[in-house]
Amino acid sequence: MRTHFFIAWLQVAAVSLALAGSAGAAPLSVDWDVQPRVLRLGEAAQLTVTVQGDNGPPAPPIAGLTDVDIAGPSVSSMSSIVNFTRNLSASFTYHIVPRRSGTFKLGPFDYKIGDRMFKLKEIELQIAAPTPAPAPATAAGGPPQQATLNDLVFARLDMAPTNIYVNQSFELTLSILFRNVRLDNGFSLNNWAPTGLTLSQFGEMPAQRTMLNGQVYEVRQFRCQARALAASHQRLAPTVRGAIVTQGERRRRGGPFDDPFFDNVFGRNVQTQPIEIATQPLEFDVHSLPEAGRPANFGGAVGHFTLEAQVKPNDGAVGDPVTLTARIAGNGNFDSIAFPMLANSDQFKTYEAKMTSKELDGSQLAGSKTFEQIIIPRTMEANRVPAIGFSFFDIDKGQYTSLTAGPFELKLHPAAAGSAVIAGGGMALANAPTGRDIAYLKPAPAEWHQRSVAGELTGPLFWPLQTIPPLAVLVAFILARRRDARAGNVRLVRREQAPRSARRALRAAGEALAQNQRAAFFEALADALRSYFGNRLNLPPGDVTAEGLRQQLAAANVDRTLAERVQALFELCDRERFGAAGGAFDAAAAQTAVDDTAQLLRQFEKVRL
Amino acid sequence: MNVRTHINALLRRGADLPAVSLSNRCARCGTRAGRRAAQATPLHGLRPFLTVCAALLATTFLAGAQPNELFQKAGRAYDSGDFAGAAAAYSTLIQQGYSTPQVCFNLGNAEFRLGRGGAAALDYRRAWHLAPRDADIAANLQFALEQTGAVLPAAPLWARWLQSLSAGEWRATALVLFWLLAALGCLDLLWPARRKLFRPLAFAAFAALLIALGGAAYWLDLQVRQPEAVVMQDSKVLFAPLPNATEYYALPAGSIVRIETQEGAWLRINAANRPGWLPQTNCIAVCAVPAG
């Protein structure tokens, strides 16, 4: 097991080494920098020379500097492989301390690595002479006096560029400069509601230093993107609201916890004094775009742009789709850029253009947009896709610039047999249209109806009629429920069948009487009684006897007279059926028996059993 | 006094006069001619009943005859080159509520001949709303837009499918399906032995009914909410609803745009996915039943 793991490890290591060996090396480059470039006399700056593409270069020739003390270098090197590319780098760091105040330059230096020579461009340093501290805070730890505060803390609003046209995007930079005071981190803007401008959120830039009137100022910079919507005169004069840290437990400088963050974390005594930092008003004019020379296809784009376009495939048959791709790149207001699409023509059928990609930087002002449009050559003569044009206002030149791309040649061959024919094309046909115009007037409608917004279905009977379908469904539903209920209730079904079965038997008795059939008559009469009471009382056919019926009727508290009449009829039928009776068949008496039976059953229909 | 005048007089004066009069004037209109006309009728005793019937018939007759005459008159004006007169007559018909596809189409033709591309496009679009499959309307609309330089907006696939039937056709389809669904429901309830046949049919009818209601709702939305508008003259779409705002892009007359919102006298419109602002006076909403 352990042997297998070792072999696997060796394989991984071998592959890694192979990859490292086969990886290409990044190109050699040299960069150098000094930070900060604005110093007070006595402060140290850091000089760094960074070499990319080599992790063992010779030390740079930083020598011959007469006005600074230099210490170093400290060397660090690094090697890494990313995406099969070997990145080697080395950096040399020096600490330099100016010996005098004023402005002086470092470099240029020639730096030779192998057989290549690099020139390190000169860097200018500004060194401020030491000045007495202008009472940054009162003796009691309070804020500085207002007279000196405006000198210690002030703000500036700058714009770039300064010549602004309508719809042009530009940068607004708010700089807060301060010295000899500590400013709290939070700032807010007052009186900041510019009209006619669209502004993005302010984002903070890296802190800097600058020298003004021989003093070193710390600078905090905030930048936003602005765009003017209309020609106007703009005056921006915001006030910055911030706070000065006036009191705090002054700690020994240096050490791992020398950061304002720990002041709050460890509950140190930090107090702030709000201040309003005045800003010099920034006034500028937004110029309207000139009418003169405005191209017809100008869509509002302002900036600097390039246009590239191509068609693919450029070899095909009539009727085959061709993709026209256009890429507009540059700097400016990309949201105003639309594709210079081709219109339908006799030679080309065109479809709506679509934006296929949009690659913009964070400011949304630089990048590119790519559009595609499908076009279809209608005829063999459509062997040249017309040029497309795009116009923008060049803010540097102060004039409109039109870009064109194309025309694009197409190698066409006739469409294959059976392939689609593009409608409206210019095929040379015998009956091809020679002119175009609108279709002639239409004849009068067959019927005239006044229309309303709700449409034609608004007659007085319309909505009442529409209640019929749901009502029909409701009725069907009720009927189905009744049917289903009856299907499971034998007593109810037999109760409903009782009068029908009795009537049927009585009809049979009447027929037997008409044919003078004595036995059949009494059989039918008895059947009428049996079927009726059998169904009414839900009894099996064999259980309907005179005695049984008497008991059932007595239990149901039926009128005694009615029960006796039923009993008598049963006995009469039994006598006649089983031969107990004699003599001739008395038709009148038989009819009376039928009528009595019918009347009796009608009375029983009203009796609850 | 001819018969029609007599009937009109009857209609004006109403039925509040006595039914029988001994004077030699008509009891209804108060004229001798009316009396003679009434006496000439064999069923003179049924005069009140006949009066009501005549009034109803006259109403129906006039309602049918007047728009037809006006339509024919407009056609004659068009043929004689009096396009303004034709347009006025067609507009009168629309104001009277007779906004049929034929009237809107012909009005569009008259406007087109007058050189009003925007108005022509508006009328063709209104006609198309009423008869979306009519090839003449589609062709004239396309031609009018080509003349002004406008482009017919592309509709998504589902909208094109719903546009294959007009609002009335979708409503009629929905109505038929509604009754069919009810009939199938009744059969399903009352004839359970054939439930295997009726139930799938009922589900299919229900699905079709939903689609038909969707089609009807689509057109109703276009007619009631009126999100479509036609630009009446060449216009500049601005970035903001301000008179001196930057021009975003130009729209030729006849362009069909989508209204998104309204702020005062400004409309936020969208043409080819490019939202911008237009003065309200520059465009007119497309509605199949324009206000009189």
Side-chain angles (χ1 to χ4, degrees):
Chain A
M1 182 70 183
R2 198 173 279 181
T3 309
H4 288 182
F5 177 79
F6 181 69
I7 292 172
W9 186 89
L10 279 180
Q11 287 172 341
V12 171
V15 169
S16 302
L17 285 172
L19 287 175
S22 61
L28 193 63
S29 65
V30 178
D31 190 21
W32 82 305
D33 191 16
V34 177
Q35 286 297 336
R37 297 187 186 187
V38 178
L39 297 166
R40 297 183 187 89
L41 192 61
E43 288 182 335
Q46 186 169 290
L47 186 155
T48 307
V49 179
T50 306
V51 179
Q52 296 284 350
D54 191 348
N55 60 353
I62 309 297
L65 303 176
T66 56
D67 295 325
V68 297
D69 292 329
I70 185 164
S74 60
V75 183
S76 65
S77 60
M78 191 180 71
S79 175
S80 63
I81 297 176
V82 178
N83 294 333
F84 299 101
T85 301
R86 191 170 51 176
N87 296 314
L88 304 174
S89 66
S91 66
F92 301 87
T93 304
Y94 300 85
H95 286 276
I96 56 175
V97 180
R99 292 180 192 151
R100 64 169 178 84
S101 60
T103 301
F104 57 90
K105 296 172 180 172
L106 299 180
F109 301 108
D110 290 330
Y111 184 19
K112 187 173 183 183
I113 302 175
D115 56 352
R116 292 189 61 183
M117 182 69 76
F118 296 91
K119 180 158 301 268
L120 307 183
K121 293 178 181 175
E122 69 175 19
I123 291 175
E124 186 179 270
L125 293 183
Q126 291 180 302
I127 313 301
T131 54
T138 62
Q145 296 299 317
Q146 191 65 35
T148 60
L149 188 60
N150 289 341
D151 181 50
L152 297 179
V153 184
F154 61 94
R156 205 168 59 196
L157 195 59
D158 299 299
M159 61 185 293
T162 54
N163 192 24
I164 302 299
Y165 288 92
V166 167
N167 218 17
Q168 177 187 345
S169 294
F170 57 98
E171 287 181 347
L172 280 175
T173 304
L174 174 70
S175 305
I176 300 170
L177 298 92
F178 57 98
R179 64 182 173 91
N180 294 344
V181 291
R182 275 178 74 195
L183 288 183
D184 199 20
N185 282 335
F187 296 103
S188 64
L189 281 178
N190 193 26
N191 188 25
W192 182 245
T195 56
L197 295 180
T198 58
L199 298 166
S200 66
Q201 290 286 325
F202 273 102
E204 184 163 8
M205 312 295 292
Q208 291 185 351
R209 278 183 164 190
T210 189
M211 183 174 287
L212 288 175
N213 302 325
Q215 299 289 340
V216 177
Y217 282 85
E218 306 290 334
V219 185
R220 290 184 65 181
Q221 286 189 316
F222 301 86
R223 185 170 291 170
C224 78
Q225 296 293 332
R227 196 174 76 185
L229 295 177
S232 58
H233 176 78
Q234 295 287 338
R235 184 177 190 275
L236 308 178
T239 305
V240 181
R241 281 184 178 166
I244 295 179
V245 179
T246 55
Q247 276 192 341
E249 179 186 340
R250 302 308 300 165
R251 292 172 287 108
R252 182 169 53 84
R253 303 294 296 175
F257 300 105
D258 185 19
D259 190 291
F261 168 76
F262 296 105
D263 291 347
N264 291 328
V265 169
F266 297 127
R268 288 181 177 131
N269 182 22
V270 175
Q271 291 184 4
T272 58
Q273 175 73 37
I275 57 166
E276 293 216 342
I277 307 168
T279 308
Q280 284 287 330
L282 175 65
E283 296 193 41
F284 61 95
D285 288 316
V286 178
H287 306 293
S288 59
L289 298 178
E291 291 287 339
R294 178 179 293 189
N297 62 350
F298 176 67
V302 177
H304 303 279
F305 299 98
T306 59
L307 170 66
E308 299 169 2
Q310 62 177 359
V311 291
K312 278 187 177 177
N314 55 7
D315 187 355
V318 171
D320 287 349
V322 174
T323 303
L324 170 61
T325 306
R327 181 175 180 271
I328 298 172
N331 298 289
N333 53 337
F334 271 90
D335 55 349
S336 298
I337 291 178
F339 180 61
M341 60 187 292
L342 290 178
N344 263 323
S345 67
D346 289 343
Q347 292 194 330
F348 290 97
K349 177 180 177 62
T350 63
Y351 290 86
E352 188 179 3
K354 291 180 179 174
M355 185 174 68
T356 55
S357 77
K358 180 180 179 183
E359 297 170 357
L360 299 179
D361 65 359
S363 66
Q364 301 291 305
L365 295 177
S368 67
K369 273 184 173 180
T370 304
F371 302 88
E372 283 186 3
Q373 185 181 22
I374 303 297
I375 60 176
I376 298 178
R378 299 178 191 264
T379 68
M380 284 295 291
E381 286 72 37
N383 54 6
R384 174 177 284 198
V385 178
I388 56 172
F390 169 69
S391 296
F392 63 94
F393 184 76
D394 191 322
I395 50 177
D396 287 343
K397 296 177 183 173
Q399 64 186 30
Y400 295 97
T401 300
S402 293
L403 305 174
T404 58
F408 308 94
E409 299 295 332
L410 290 179
K411 294 177 183 174
L412 290 178
H413 49 82
S419 62
V421 176
I422 308 303
M427 303 292 279
L429 300 173
N431 58 352
T434 55
R436 293 182 68 200
D437 200 352
I438 55 173
Y440 183 63
L441 299 179
K442 282 186 175 296
E447 293 180 1
W448 289 94
H449 296 291
Q450 286 179 311
R451 286 177 178 271
S452 66
V453 172
E456 300 83 359
L457 305 176
T458 53
L461 289 178
F462 176 75
W463 289 113
L465 281 175
Q466 303 319 308
T467 59
I468 292 175
L471 286 177
V473 173
L474 183 64
V475 169
F477 178 74
I478 292 170
L479 292 176
R481 286 290 301 270
R482 283 193 60 190
R483 181 195 60 212
D484 295 343
R486 287 182 58 204
N489 191 342
V490 178
R491 175 179 289 276
L492 177 65
V493 174
R494 294 194 68 185
R495 167 66 183 88
E496 291 176 353
Q497 286 177 350
R500 282 201 298 273
S501 59
R503 277 196 296 273
R504 197 163 47 240
L506 286 174
R507 271 199 302 275
E511 290 169 3
L513 177 61
Q515 296 171 6
N516 205 21
Q517 295 176 347
R518 180 174 186 154
F521 169 79
F522 284 105
E523 184 65 34
L525 195 61
D527 187 44
L529 292 168
R530 276 199 310 271
S531 64
Y532 180 81
F533 288 106
N535 284 327
R536 277 297 306 267
L537 299 169
N538 194 23
L539 297 173
D543 289 355
V544 185
T545 61
E547 180 57 25
L549 193 58
R550 187 185 64 75
Q551 293 174 3
Q552 290 274 351
L553 295 178
N557 293 325
V558 175
D559 183 19
R560 191 180 184 83
T561 313
L562 282 177
E564 287 173 353
R565 287 175 62 189
V566 172
Q567 193 77 16
L569 277 171
F570 259 103
E571 287 172 357
L572 173 66
C573 291
D574 287 346
R575 273 201 309 274
E576 292 293 338
R577 286 166 62 208
F578 300 118
F585 182 46
D586 185 355
Q591 184 60 51
T592 304
V594 171
D595 294 341
D596 283 350
T597 305
Q599 184 193 16
L600 183 66
L601 296 185
R602 274 196 297 273
Q603 287 177 327
F604 265 98
E605 277 297 287
K606 298 171 186 172
V607 175
R608 187 182 186 87
L609 294 179
Chain B
M1 174 183 284
N2 59 21
V3 175
R4 182 179 294 176
T5 313
H6 176 64
I7 292 171
N8 284 340
L10 291 177
L11 289 172
R12 283 197 300 273
R13 296 190 60 174
D16 53 348
L17 295 175
V20 180
S21 171
L22 296 177
S23 84
N24 60 352
R25 290 175 182 270
C26 175
R28 300 286 168 186
C29 66
T31 62
R32 291 189 181 88
R35 178 71 177 178
R36 284 195 298 275
Q39 285 174 343
T41 308
L43 300 174
H44 189 68
L46 299 174
R47 192 164 48 198
F49 173 73
L50 291 176
T51 302
V52 173
C53 291
L56 289 172
L57 282 172
T59 306
T60 309
F61 172 72
L62 288 177
Q66 196 178 6
N68 205 40
E69 287 175 5
L70 198 53
F71 189 88
Q72 301 303 337
K73 178 185 166 191
R76 288 193 294 273
Y78 183 92
D79 290 340
S80 65
D82 180 14
F83 302 120
Y90 289 128
S91 298
T92 305
L93 279 172
I94 289 177
Q95 286 168 3
Q96 290 175 356
Y98 299 107
S99 55
T100 65
Q102 294 88 345
V103 174
C104 293
F105 176 86
N106 291 359
L107 175 59
N109 276 14
E111 298 281 13
F112 184 83
R113 294 293 181 214
L114 287 169
R116 302 174 190 155
L122 175 66
D123 295 321
Y124 289 140
R125 189 68 171 177
R126 283 176 171 165
W128 176 83
H129 272 211
L130 297 169
R133 292 192 312 281
D134 190 300
D136 289 341
I137 294 172
N140 278 17
L141 175 61
Q142 182 69 39
F143 190 75
L145 294 184
E146 285 177 13
Q147 299 306 305
T148 60
V151 179
L152 194 65
L157 185 63
W158 64 267
R160 288 203 300 274
W161 193 81
L162 292 179
Q163 290 163 3
S164 57
L165 294 181
S166 69
E169 289 165 340
W170 277 122
R171 280 195 298 267
T173 307
L175 195 61
V176 169
L177 288 168
F178 177 61
W179 282 74
L180 178 65
L181 183 63
L184 288 169
C186 291
L187 290 171
D188 182 82
L189 287 168
L190 298 176
W191 200 349
R194 293 298 181 96
R195 193 161 279 173
K196 284 186 179 176
L197 171 66
F198 297 137
R199 194 149 284 186
L201 287 175
F203 278 118
F206 181 68
L209 174 63
L210 289 182
I211 293 170
L213 289 174
Y218 172 78
W219 285 110
L220 191 65
D221 176 65
L222 284 183
Q223 292 172 7
V224 175
R225 198 167 57 86
Q226 300 180 17
E228 270 191 1
V230 172
V231 179
M232 300 307 289
Q233 68 261 6
D234 291 348
S235 303
K236 294 175 179 176
V237 180
L238 306 179
F239 274 99
L242 302 169
N244 59 346
T246 309
E247 177 188 336
Y248 187 2
Y249 56 91
L251 273 180
S255 296
I256 298 167
V257 299
R258 196 162 190 85
I259 301 172
E260 292 185 339
T261 55
Q262 180 174 1
E263 277 192 21
W266 292 84
L267 293 175
R268 181 180 161 87
I269 58 102
N270 194 326
N273 291 327
R274 288 185 298 175
W277 294 90
L278 263 183
Q280 189 184 10
T281 51
N282 283 27
C283 50
I284 295 179
V286 179
C287 175
V289 187

